Each structure stands twice: as C-alpha cells, then as structure tokens.
Amino acid sequence: PEDIPGGSDYSEQIPVAITNCKALVLIYSQKAESSKWVRREVDQAINRDKIVLPFMIEKFEMSEQFKFYLTNVQCYMAYEDMSGQLMQMTKDIMAIPGITIIKPEEKKPEPAKTAPEPKPQPAELKEPDFAGLGLRTESQKIRYAVNEGKAIYDNNASTPEERNKAFEYLRWAASKNDAEACYHFGRNMLVGRIRVKADNTTDRGMYYLDRAARLGYKKAQEEMDNFCRFRYRKLHGDKIPVQNPAPLRDFDGWKIKIKHKGKFMPVNAELVWRDNENILFIDVKYNVITSEDEVVDRDALIQAVEAGMQKWEGVYSVFGGQKLTVVITPHFHEYSVLGVINIFSSKSDTMKNAIKIRGIYGQTSQNKLLDAANRNSSFSVMSMKKWSVRSFKNIIIDNPTGRFDNYSEITRAVAHEFGAILGLETMGNIPKGTYPELDPYYISDGRYNLVMSNVRGIISDNDMEMVLLALSENEKQYYSEDEEGHKPSKALGRGN
C-alpha cells in the first residue's frame, strides 16, 4: 500500500505497474488462487507477454484456470525447499534481459554513522479546544470548527491569533474528511490566506479542493474549474494567435473534412462552414436499456443521459486559435439496439448476457469485460474489434445500488464516456510537464482536471481537437503511447 500515491486508485496503478515490469512473481497459495484480483493481475501479465514466475508456498492441486494460465511455465516448489527455491528463482530473474543488477562490489561504501532515531509514526491531529462550548459529539465539533474557521478567514479584521485558531479548526475538520472543511481549507490556500511550509501552497490547495470534490462538494469542483481556466489563460492565453475566420484547418494546413451519416451509425457528424463560423453538428442516436426495477423516474434518467452528451456543446479554440462551435442533438430510440449507442447498467441482466456472449470470442475477451464490470466505474466498449466512426458503441454505467437514481453521477459518467465514444482514449497518469498545455489543469499525483481524466472536470480544447482528428481520420486518439504501439494524438504538445 505504501507504494500507491495518496488519493490514487489501485485499479489504475496496478495495471501501470504490470505494464512497466519485466517479470511478475506470483506468490502461489490457495488464498491467492481464490482471489479475483490475483486472477486479473496474472491475466493482464500474460496478455502483456510478461514473464510469470509462480512461487508455490503451499502444496495443493492447481485449478484448471491456473493450469491454463501457467502452461509450460516453470513453477518453484517453495513448500519443499523455501531458501533453495528462492535462490534459484533469484538467479533466473537476474538472467532476464533488461534486468539491472547492482553487484555488491559496485556499491559505494557508506560512511559509518550512528543508528538513526526511530522515525515517529504520524499521530492523529490533536483536537482543537472546544471546552465550554457545549459540543458533545464529533459531528457538532466539526460543524462548529468549519463555521468558525470560515468566519474568521472571511473577516479581514481578524487577528493573527484568530487566524491561527481558524487554521487549527479547518485542518482538523479536513482531517476528518469533512467535504466543506476540505473546501474552505483548500480555497483559503489558493487565495493566499493560508500559507503552509510545503513547496507549493497552490498544489496543496488544489489537493484539498480535489478531495472536497471527490466527497461530493459541488462548489469545490466549480472552484477548481475556475482556477484551472485562470491558470490556462495566464500561461497560454496571449500565445494563441488571432485567426481570421476561415474553414477549419489542422496543424499542417489541411482543411478538415467531416461528414459521417448512415442509418446504422450511432453518431452522425458533419463539420460545416456557415456565416463565417465553423460548426460541428453531432447527432446522437441512443437507447437506454433498463429493467423495470432499475428505473425510478424514466424522464429524469433520459434528461440526465442527454445532459451528459450535451456537456460537449460550446465554443472551442482549436488548432492555433481557430474557433469552433459544437452542437449536440440527441435522439432517443427506445426499441432499437442496432445503429445506436446502447446505455445500460453494469449490474443489469443485459450486462450479464453481454459477458456470456463475449465467451464466444475467448476466455481472455470475456475476462476483460468481466473485469471492467467489477471495477466499480463506468466504461464504454465497442461491439467491433476497434473504434471507428461506424463501430457499434455501448456505455455501461456503474450502478452499485441497482437503481438509476443518482442523476448527477449519470450525467458525469455519460459526459466522460461520450468522449470515448467520439474517439478519445481515457487519460492515464501522465507526468506533469509531458504536455505544457495540460499543466494548468494539473492537480496532484498526475491527476488532471479534464473530463477524459477524472470524469468531473471541464472539457478542454485539446479534447475537442482530438475528437476532430478522430472523426476526420477515422482513428482513435491517445494521450500516451500504449503497449500496443498507439502513438499520442497530434493534438498534444502544440501549446494550444
């Protein structure tokens, strides 16, 4: 756990680690074999052609699934000779091409020093003094701390002593994962009322705002969006040249042409030049597949889905400052499943049937869909082998309660997955500085406040550039190179 950065998601970090490793050691036991996570990790390693080294610490009959995984793979019978098998496996690992070995004689001698003092464990933040206030429960204390801390910081006449008290109040309440406390603590860092000893007070402020947004505090999301826009304009706003109105052209000067229409195409798209304005019209045909017990309010559900798609509407500055207006028109097709975007729940019978059907294409294909369904996040899949403007498209909404009733979450999930439907690969952990134009949206630990990154953020000009390239070139656009050799989109790294 200490290797996973704070605030990160295991389901995001582990695949990255598997992709980057040379070999995977499987500590094999009955508990490991029954773990769904171990099965998924081994499956991912094999699919990425990694060397898998099963180190068997218990003697028992291997299941058929693991026999299939580990056919022709050398197993180390550690239950017979732990130290000997460990030594043998270590030698085998050292012989793998690309493994860097630091031999003992190559190590630089360290100067003699006294044993360091034991590092104290981080203690829980001390509770502020609430004596004499009649506050009996922790909940009452948190609310008092938030209200008092906010009032002191909002009062320009407050004394340094009072602000120190407000700092203690808000920091303590934020440590209790109170969303409002995280919001006020982070916001006061951004506006300069709170200074911390950390290298970058702004990053710390964004960290707390991000935490508040994750806890469902809507003002925090708005604050992050506004601050990101401000930072973007400050860094790049004056660098984008003014363009005379003209038909839209890409970075190489070629006119962009988009005209995709068809009876069985889920998304029809057309780029037109009209009245000195570039307009991208996107007509979306979709169906929401549900059972009766999943729907609370069907009209509200439909509105939430369409609102997610229409989050992509607006005016964008693309390809060096050219203006583009995007218009989204959703069309609900209740009884059609062909030529439409099918939207359904990850826990529905439709999803279970889809997983069964995937078995026709092989166990690996079935396991991938099963893994996605169990990941507790929404996702999109193509009904064909790869994305194209003509491929059948599905959006699967994570629905842990079995009821479609969290409409704001449905809107956010649809907005995020609609980007994937239009041809964007979801952004992974991209180090800060990879693309300067994205850095204004950087929050912490490689998270970016963009819709294709964390579902909640704003849609960037780069997102729309990538959509235009996907629709015009009929090729899915990627944020980073993947294990299959897909290159980053030409829209990235241009300073837009």
Side-chain angles (χ1 to χ4, degrees):
E2 60 269 22
D3 289 338
I4 304 293
S8 298
D9 190 330
Y10 280 79
S11 64
E12 294 175 356
Q13 295 287 333
I14 289 173
V16 173
I18 292 173
T19 298
N20 293 333
C21 78
K22 297 291 182 185
L24 181 142
V25 176
L26 167 63
I27 309 298
Y28 198 65
S29 65
Q30 286 184 303
K31 283 188 176 181
E33 188 178 82
S34 63
S35 166
K36 63 181 181 181
W37 296 104
V38 171
R39 290 198 299 272
R40 290 172 187 165
E41 289 158 11
V42 173
D43 183 70
Q44 286 204 20
I46 291 172
N47 285 333
R48 287 166 169 74
D49 294 324
K50 303 297 178 181
I51 297 170
V52 178
L53 305 163
F55 193 74
M56 302 187 69
I57 60 174
E58 292 178 7
K59 184 178 182 179
F60 63 97
E61 181 67 24
M62 189 181 290
S63 70
E64 292 300 320
Q65 183 174 5
F66 274 86
K67 285 180 182 177
F68 174 76
Y69 281 146
L70 305 176
T71 302
N72 300 324
V73 173
Q74 177 186 352
C75 294
Y76 300 90
M77 308 305 179
Y79 56 83
E80 295 177 351
D81 177 16
M82 177 70 75
S83 59
Q85 291 293 292
L86 180 58
M87 185 174 291
Q88 182 60 51
M89 184 177 70
T90 303
K91 289 179 179 178
D92 293 341
I93 290 174
M94 290 169 68
I96 295 172
I99 295 288
T100 302
I101 307 300
I102 302 176
K103 297 180 180 179
E105 60 269 21
E106 294 177 348
K107 291 184 177 179
K108 294 182 179 179
E110 294 184 3
K113 56 183 179 181
T114 57
E117 292 291 327
K119 190 175 180 180
Q121 294 298 315
E124 187 176 346
L125 275 180
K126 183 180 177 182
E127 183 178 289
D129 183 13
F130 295 105
L133 297 175
L135 305 174
R136 297 181 179 180
T137 66
E138 184 174 82
S139 177
Q140 290 174 333
K141 293 175 181 178
I142 290 174
R143 292 275 58 78
Y144 176 86
V146 172
N147 292 333
E148 190 69 10
K150 175 182 178 298
I152 291 173
Y153 275 118
D154 287 346
N155 180 9
N156 293 328
S158 59
T159 66
E161 291 76 15
E162 288 173 328
R163 292 195 175 194
N164 286 339
K165 193 70 174 176
F167 178 85
E168 288 182 17
Y169 278 148
L170 289 178
R171 183 175 63 160
W172 173 78
S175 74
K176 299 296 181 182
N177 270 343
D178 181 80
E180 190 178 2
C182 290
Y183 167 72
H184 289 297
F185 197 48
R187 182 176 179 277
N188 281 304
M189 285 185 191
L190 283 190
V191 300
R193 292 173 178 170
I194 294 178
R195 293 285 180 184
V196 295
K197 292 181 180 179
D199 292 337
N200 195 325
T201 300
T202 297
D203 281 353
R204 294 297 295 167
M206 290 295 274
Y207 167 82
Y208 279 101
L209 284 177
D210 187 46
R211 190 198 290 185
R214 289 169 181 269
L215 292 168
Y217 201 75
K218 291 184 178 180
K219 282 186 179 180
Q221 185 59 54
E222 295 170 3
E223 194 80 30
M224 282 198 300
D225 286 351
N226 290 334
F227 190 77
C228 285
R229 288 191 182 100
F230 167 77
R231 242 187 338 191
Y232 182 85
R233 284 197 300 268
K234 186 177 179 181
L235 289 174
H236 296 288
D238 59 346
K239 297 177 184 177
I240 297 176
V242 176
Q243 301 281 348
N244 293 324
L248 197 64
R249 295 183 180 274
D250 65 14
F251 292 113
D252 299 320
W254 294 99
K255 184 178 177 181
I256 295 179
K257 297 179 181 180
I258 298 173
K259 190 171 184 179
H260 301 298
K261 293 187 177 181
K263 185 176 182 180
F264 292 107
M265 291 179 62
V267 177
N268 289 332
E270 184 174 12
L271 178 65
V272 301
W273 169 249
R274 179 184 298 170
D275 298 330
N276 286 333
E277 186 178 12
N278 286 292
I279 307 173
L280 177 63
F281 291 101
I282 298 179
D283 285 357
V284 187
K285 295 174 282 186
Y286 75 97
N287 183 19
V288 181
I289 302 174
T290 61
S291 58
E292 290 184 7
D293 56 345
E294 287 180 303
V295 178
V296 176
D297 183 335
R298 190 161 188 80
D299 289 339
L301 172 60
I302 296 298
Q303 289 175 12
V305 168
E306 294 191 353
M309 296 175 184
Q310 290 177 322
K311 280 212 177 262
W312 287 77
E313 286 192 319
V315 179
Y316 296 85
S317 177
V318 294
F319 300 118
Q322 301 170 81
K323 298 302 179 186
L324 172 74
T325 300
V326 177
V327 178
I328 311 282
T329 307
H331 302 281
F332 181 45
H333 292 244
E334 186 169 9
Y335 300 108
S336 177
V337 293
L338 294 176
V340 302
I341 297 173
N342 290 303
I343 301 170
F344 51 92
S345 161
S346 62
K347 305 297 186 288
S348 65
D349 290 337
T350 304
M351 187 64 191
K352 293 173 185 175
N353 291 332
I355 292 171
K356 289 179 182 177
I357 293 171
R358 272 296 174 99
I360 298 172
Y361 300 99
Q363 188 176 14
T364 300
S365 178
Q366 189 178 48
N367 286 345
K368 284 182 179 178
L369 192 58
L370 181 62
D371 180 52
N374 291 331
R375 202 179 294 151
N376 293 329
S377 61
S378 302
F379 61 99
S380 59
V381 294
M382 308 302 153
S383 298
M384 298 178 183
K385 284 189 175 181
K386 69 172 187 174
W387 182 92
S388 77
V389 294
R390 296 183 177 277
S391 58
F392 297 155
K393 300 168 173 68
N394 304 293
I395 292 177
I396 293 87
I397 302 295
D398 180 43
N399 195 20
T401 64
R403 302 279 278 174
F404 277 115
D405 54 4
N406 190 341
Y407 302 114
S408 61
E409 192 59 39
I410 290 169
T411 294
R412 283 195 289 269
V414 170
H416 178 79
E417 300 307 334
F418 190 62
I421 293 300
L422 294 177
L424 280 75
E425 180 64 32
T426 299
M427 181 188 285
N429 282 343
I430 300 176
K432 187 175 183 179
T434 305
Y435 306 117
E437 68 270 26
L438 299 187
D439 285 348
Y441 304 103
Y442 178 89
I443 298 175
S444 65
D445 297 330
R447 294 197 302 275
Y448 288 78
N449 192 32
L450 299 165
V451 69
M452 290 307 297
S453 170
N454 63 10
V455 185
R456 303 184 315 276
I458 59 181
I459 299 167
S460 74
D461 291 341
N462 281 99
D463 286 328
M464 187 48 63
E465 280 179 355
M466 291 165 74
V467 166
L468 287 165
L469 292 173
L471 295 175
S472 61
E473 298 177 359
N474 198 23
E475 287 286 344
K476 193 172 186 179
Q477 303 293 301
Y478 292 80
Y479 280 95
S480 57
E481 187 169 354
D482 65 7
E483 65 275 8
E484 296 179 10
H486 297 112
K487 301 297 182 183
S489 171
K490 288 185 291 186
L492 297 165
R494 302 278 184 160
N496 267 30

